[in-house]
Amino acid sequence: MNTVLHSKPPVGPEYFEFKNLKQGEFWRHVPAYKDVDERTFLDHLWQQKHSVKTPQELLQTIESLASAEFIEDARAGFAHAPMAVRVSPYAISLIDWNDPYGDPIRRQFIPVKSTFLPDHPRLVLDSLHEQADSPVPGLVHRYVDKALFLPLAVCPVYCRFCTRSYAIGPDTEEVDKVELARTPKQWQDAFTYIASRPELEDIVISGGDVYQLPPKNVELIGNALLDIPHVRRMRFATKGPAIMPMKLLTDPAWVDAIVGVVERGRLLGKDVVLHTHFNAPEEITWITEKAMKVLFERGVFVRNQSVLIRGVNDVPERMQLLVKRLSYVNVHPYYVYMHDMVKGVEDLRTTIQTAVDVEKFVRGSTAGFNSPTFVCDAPGGGGKRDVHSYEYYDRENGITVYAAPSVKPGKAFMYFDPIDRLSPDAQARWAVKEIQDRMIHEALRKAGAGDEQLVLA
Ligand SMILES: *Cc1c(COP(=O)(O)O)cnc(C)c1O
Ligand code: SF4
């Protein structure tokens, strides 16, 4: 008997790019930070205080790094964006200022006028219908056994693509924001509602962002929810680790508050974890690695939810690098979302086909439990659907039809690809209202649904 052994060819050094995290005092190339030492840069209060919120502050921070044209473009972009702007020095210093237009971090946080595209004709501000599924202010009860609690309306940064631009951040020239519950007194109504619904086992605490909660309020919310007997699982959701990881190193009181809730939950047999939101592999540096180690050592399990964003992570190799790098710092990639159909950010959306292609490439790169599920949060309130599970996909016109039998039985939901990504013929069809209606009707018919079943955003 001959045994033939086949060894896999060895990988080259380029394979290990995911371990190649930015090192040293990388912020010093930014004029405003050139004299900032490590101790200061790692101070989370310094990061908050020096966050950029206006074109003037941006100009003062980067000075000669970007052209006058770019600054002017950003000034016009700030005025037109549905979201307020806030960018941490950490994020500013990760931007490649030699190519601000192509940079994945700039694209997420700093709007520029010249890349604006017209909104899709079927797009609205609260595309997920969160307000329609909200029994008390600041609580979304869409799925039977889980709810989303939004305790505040501020974040450590503001993302251009935010799905809650109807509520998050200060009012802008374009949008007057809806009020969420923002004070411990208002939160009581949410706790009372959750306590009255025994089917609610799983609470997502999102926002706004729990990074902005003082430690005593992290404990207040955590303990109030742990005290409800039927609540079995909780997740604190925060963008923080992606854009201000140093807080986990220099705000021990906040970390202690999270760890305290996790540990009390463990004693009660309840699962408390952290969910975060990295989108680009460049967001993970030596500071992130150190910060995530603190959480790992202290027994805090971390999952990641990304958004699939054009020019940020919509290329298979970039998503693979993100997934490998997250796994390397002990963060489990959980979801990759289709970009929601929100106003003013068409240049960031991409197609369902892109999601399918990227997913196909990423699956098989690493452990199954580190391979994210690609989902479309169906506009109109259908909830998250595996992108592949469509009833029908008209690739030519960019219309996808989903059903959500356990969330909104008997209804049909649609996601629309960005029009600039379609063929010139299809773009011409979208320009005519009657043809739009006909294309939508036809897609529904092919999906086996009737017009009356459609819930549009
Ligand atoms: C995403 C979401 C949840 C949590 O869903 P999972 O699939 O369990 O992560 C709960 N409620 C709402 C309204 C949501 O959007
Ligand atoms: S951190 Fe989350 S809630 Fe805040 S602006 Fe970004 S996407 Fe929206």
Side-chain angles (χ1 to χ4, degrees), residues 11-77:
V11 295
E14 69 287 351
Y15 175 79
F16 296 100
E17 176 58 20
F18 65 92
K19 298 189 189 186
N20 184 16
L21 308 184
K22 198 166 251 187
Q23 298 295 323
E25 300 189 336
F26 54 80
W27 53 88
R28 290 206 191 236
H29 75 286
V30 176
Y33 314 145
K34 71 176 187 302
D35 297 322
V36 173
D37 61 15
E38 180 176 316
R39 198 190 149 105
T40 308
F41 195 75
L42 292 195
D43 178 354
H44 70 107
L45 292 175
W46 184 88
Q47 287 280 330
Q48 298 217 353
K49 186 152 166 271
H50 292 84
S51 290
V52 165
K53 296 175 286 304
T54 64
Q56 203 48 40
E57 286 171 356
L58 181 64
L59 181 61
Q60 284 161 3
T61 304
I62 58 173
E63 281 178 45
S64 50
L65 280 183
S67 65
E69 290 78 19
F70 177 84
I71 296 290
E72 202 37 56
D73 204 0
R75 191 185 302 282

Side-chain angles (χ1 to χ4, degrees), residues 130 140 142-143 146-148 202 204 235 305 334-335 337 377 384:
E130 290 193 335
V140 184
R142 163 164 309 145
Y143 304 92
K146 54 193 179 187
L148 176 64
D202 184 343
V204 183
R235 333 166 197 176
Q305 311 191 164
Y334 173 41
Y335 278 145
Y337 287 80
D377 209 339
K384 300 172 189 70

Side-chain angles (χ1 to χ4, degrees), residues 155-213:
C155 299
V157 287
Y158 292 122
C159 313
R160 289 181 54 212
F161 48 87
C162 184
T163 190
R164 304 209 176 92
S165 56
Y166 69 88
I168 298 296
D171 291 342
T172 63
E173 285 181 36
E174 294 287 315
V175 182
D176 284 331
K177 309 282 166 162
V178 172
E179 287 284 318
L180 299 178
R182 299 168 195 220
T183 64
K185 198 161 167 297
Q186 291 168 320
W187 299 341
Q188 286 306 326
D189 293 340
F191 301 149
T192 304
Y193 177 86
I194 294 167
S196 76
R197 301 298 294 254
E199 70 273 34
L200 280 177
E201 297 198 329
D202 184 343
I203 309 298
V204 183
I205 305 142
S206 184
D209 195 301
V210 296
Y211 239 45
Q212 303 305 106
L213 284 174

